[in-house]
Amino acid sequence: MMPTSKKARPQGSGRGRRVTIADIAERAGVTSAAVSLAVNGRPGVSDATRARIIDIARELQWEPSPSARALAGAPVLTVGMVIARPAEVLGAEAFFGAFVAGLQEILSRHDYSLQMKIVDSTEAEIDTFRRWLAQRRVDGVVVVDLRPDDPR
């Protein structure tokens, strides 16, 4: 019987643990910092090393971690929209469905996602916007139902 390694082989999408830049670095024989430079298109690694790292990342089906990107200050590719109206009212409004579909179509062209939340008050809407921005969960917000002296 062959001994098995205690370290699990990284998996891309699907089962198993998430592939990390440390996995790519180990396979490429470089540091995690070198992988970060390579996958982010920054100077500091040779063209040959960059190509090897990118090839390994593709082979392992590596995808950047949205939370790690947010911590590093990179865009999270998400726009938030909070609506202070009852869900049944929104479902009955033909305009709103068309508006969301159009917004999502434009965002999708640029690989952005729409995060939407329904709340019961303007205060809850403002709190949600503040929390999302503080936690870097969104890159920007869409504010609807504008009014004079809007507190949002």
Side-chain angles (χ1 to χ4, degrees):
M1 182 177 219
M2 299 280 299
T4 58
S5 170
K6 290 185 180 183
K7 186 171 185 176
R9 182 180 180 280
Q11 301 290 317
S13 58
R15 295 191 176 103
R17 69 179 183 81
R18 179 180 185 86
V19 175
T20 67
I21 63 171
D23 299 320
I24 298 166
E26 182 179 337
R27 174 90 54 98
V30 298
T31 65
S32 292
V35 173
S36 179
L37 293 173
V39 299
N40 288 303
R42 295 197 173 115
V45 294
S46 71
D47 290 342
T49 300
R50 183 182 313 277
R52 189 171 80 250
I53 289 169
I54 298 299
D55 287 346
I56 292 168
R58 282 189 187 123
E59 177 187 328
L60 295 176
Q61 299 176 347
W62 173 80
E63 290 288 331
S65 163
S67 57
R69 287 179 51 83
L71 287 172
V76 292
L77 304 176
T78 302
V79 171
M81 183 167 61
V82 182
I83 309 293
R85 279 195 253 165
E88 59 272 4
V89 171
L90 294 175
E93 293 179 5
F95 168 80
F96 186 74
F99 174 72
V100 171
L103 180 59
Q104 186 59 58
E105 179 183 356
I106 299 300
L107 291 172
S108 293
R109 287 182 196 162
H110 301 281
D111 203 26
Y112 272 75
S113 297
L114 176 64
Q115 179 169 331
M116 193 172 93
K117 183 174 183 180
I118 297 173
V119 296
D120 59 5
S121 68
T122 300
E123 293 76 25
E125 186 178 352
I126 292 169
D127 288 344
T128 301
F129 283 143
R130 284 186 178 140
R131 187 173 55 259
W132 283 354
L133 291 168
Q135 295 171 350
R136 295 207 27 84
R137 291 175 60 185
V138 297
D139 295 315
V141 297
V142 174
V143 180
V144 296
D145 298 327
L146 297 173
R147 51 195 175 268
D149 301 318
D150 199 318
R152 298 170 293 171

